[in-house]
Amino acid sequence: MEMSFAGRALNMSRCHVMGVLNVTPDSFSDGGRFNRLDAALLKARQMVCDGAAFIDVGGESTRPGAARVSVQEELDRVCPVVEAISRELDVVVSVDTSTPEVMSQAVSLGAGLINDVRALQREGAASAAARAGVPVCVMHIQGEPETMQDRPVYENVLREVGEFLSMRVRVAVKAGVSARNIILDPGFGFGKNLEHNLRLLASLEQLHVLGHPLLVGMSRKSMLGQITGREVDERLSASLAAATISAMKGAGIVRVHDVRETVDAVRVATAVMEAV
Ligand code: 9MG
């Protein structure tokens, strides 16, 4: 199960850690773009030192209620950071975007993975991903980020998430994305309540029948706040538990904020699985 990300080959039957690098204005409190680029690079360097195999660079917040940004603004936020990290660091740069122009530009600047929380549903996204030629993470979402948490409804969340992902794989392949370049993500918190999220996590291994590596993101999410009663900046232990469970259930990538601690947790999970 080897996958190549812009020339970097990784064995996806093991679990890798992806560090989150948001480059939205609220992520770095200082003023100008150059300071923000420096701050992003500093953070990226630290995540690589801490053992991240991927850095996920995103310029548009996907939180419920977040405002949309223009294509130009997203390009301006994301491209300099993708370029600088790709040039300097030994890591796979992932671009967190649903915008075809950002996918194309970021890959031309060195990104090795497209992470699309809208599963290539925006006009032109599937063909841009196909032309880019790098692996793509296709995530399940019910609705749009602005409204997805209003009242999500499923008859059978695992079946419906599986069907949606299979359908999006077919669309991507038809557009020219290689099936061997597709990673799937059940989309924790994207149009799901706590019960839906827990059902999905409890049955995560069943999504392997789709035949693609899995990416999982639960770090600091509100589902963990609902379980523990903790505020967002107090959810490290809960996030580590979620990453460990995901790794034990065969996730190929866990997307997290706390790289150093998660790398240790995933190493323990991997050692246990390899001892069987
Ligand atoms: C950008 N982003 C935020 N949460 C995410 C998740 O759970 N998965 C993926 N693939 N991307 C996410």
Side-chain angles (χ1 to χ4, degrees), residues 56 62 96 115 117 137 139 185 187-188 190 215 217 221 255:
D56 193 36
T62 49
D96 158 20
N115 174 27
V117 300
C137 176
M139 197 195 78
D185 183 337
F188 287 98
F190 283 82
L215 188 156
K221 282 193 180 168
R255 181 182 182 278

Side-chain angles (χ1 to χ4, degrees), residues 214-226:
L214 298 178
L215 188 156
V216 169
M218 279 177 281
S219 174
R220 299 185 188 173
K221 282 193 180 168
S222 64
M223 62 180 280
L224 303 178
Q226 286 174 270

Side-chain angles (χ1 to χ4, degrees), residues 166-227:
S166 304
M167 182 264 287
R168 296 313 301 166
V169 167
R170 283 196 296 277
V171 170
V173 169
K174 196 162 171 218
V177 177
S178 163
R180 298 171 49 145
N181 263 353
I182 298 177
I183 296 170
L184 299 179
D185 183 337
F188 287 98
F190 283 82
K192 290 152 196 104
N193 64 26
L194 179 59
E195 185 191 336
H196 301 140
N197 287 318
L198 288 174
R199 287 246 170 93
L200 280 171
L201 182 56
S203 313
L204 189 69
E205 64 277 15
Q206 293 188 37
L207 292 176
H208 285 300
V209 296
L210 301 173
H212 297 270
L214 298 178
L215 188 156
V216 169
M218 279 177 281
S219 174
R220 299 185 188 173
K221 282 193 180 168
S222 64
M223 62 180 280
L224 303 178
Q226 286 174 270
I227 297 168

Side-chain angles (χ1 to χ4, degrees), residues 153-162 199:
V153 179
Y154 299 86
E155 234 175 55
N156 178 328
V157 67
L158 184 66
R159 179 170 50 75
E160 288 167 58
V161 166
R199 287 246 170 93

Side-chain angles (χ1 to χ4, degrees), residues 16-248:
H16 305 276
V17 173
M18 169 184 273
V20 175
L21 185 57
N22 288 324
V23 289
T24 49
D26 53 336
S27 330
F28 298 107
S29 49
D30 47 45
R33 281 192 195 285
F34 290 111
N35 287 343
R36 290 215 295 269
L37 177 60
D38 279 348
L41 249 180
L42 210 64
K43 191 161 180 204
R45 283 188 199 118
Q46 187 61 54
M47 289 197 288
V48 173
C49 272
D50 290 343
F54 295 84
I55 293 181
D56 193 36
V57 180
E60 183 184 30
S61 174
T62 49
R63 284 201 202 102
R68 266 193 82 164
V69 296
S70 70
V71 173
Q72 192 55 53
E73 182 60 29
E74 197 185 344
L75 285 166
D76 291 347
R77 289 178 189 176
V78 164
C79 290
V81 177
V82 167
E83 185 179 26
I85 299 175
S86 305
R87 196 176 341 106
E88 187 188 317
L89 297 174
D90 183 18
V91 70
V92 178
V93 179
S94 159
V95 60
D96 158 20
T97 188
S98 303
T99 311
E101 294 87 341
V102 179
M103 294 176 184
S104 308
Q105 283 270 353
V107 171
S108 75
L109 294 169
L113 172 66
I114 294 167
N115 174 27
D116 185 1
V117 300
R118 292 180 184 79
L120 305 176
Q121 292 184 97
R122 273 197 185 152
E123 174 105 41
S127 50
R131 277 194 306 278
V134 297
V136 187
C137 176
V138 170
M139 197 195 78
H140 175 272
I141 182 169
Q142 186 182 86
E144 273 288 317
E146 293 80 9
T147 51
M148 64 192 177
Q149 290 306 98
D150 285 354
R151 208 181 138 267
V153 179
Y154 299 86
E155 234 175 55
N156 178 328
V157 67
L158 184 66
R159 179 170 50 75
E160 288 167 58
V161 166
E163 285 170 0
F164 173 94
L165 291 175
S166 304
M167 182 264 287
R168 296 313 301 166
V169 167
R170 283 196 296 277
V171 170
V173 169
K174 196 162 171 218
V177 177
S178 163
R180 298 171 49 145
N181 263 353
I182 298 177
I183 296 170
L184 299 179
D185 183 337
F188 287 98
F190 283 82
K192 290 152 196 104
N193 64 26
L194 179 59
E195 185 191 336
H196 301 140
N197 287 318
L198 288 174
R199 287 246 170 93
L200 280 171
L201 182 56
S203 313
L204 189 69
E205 64 277 15
Q206 293 188 37
L207 292 176
H208 285 300
V209 296
L210 301 173
H212 297 270
L214 298 178
L215 188 156
V216 169
M218 279 177 281
S219 174
R220 299 185 188 173
K221 282 193 180 168
S222 64
M223 62 180 280
L224 303 178
Q226 286 174 270
I227 297 168
T228 60
R230 305 241 179 236
E231 291 303 318
V232 66
D233 54 354
E234 293 177 338
R235 294 179 191 156
L236 173 61
S237 309
S239 301
L240 294 175
T244 307
I245 295 165
S246 306
M248 298 288 298

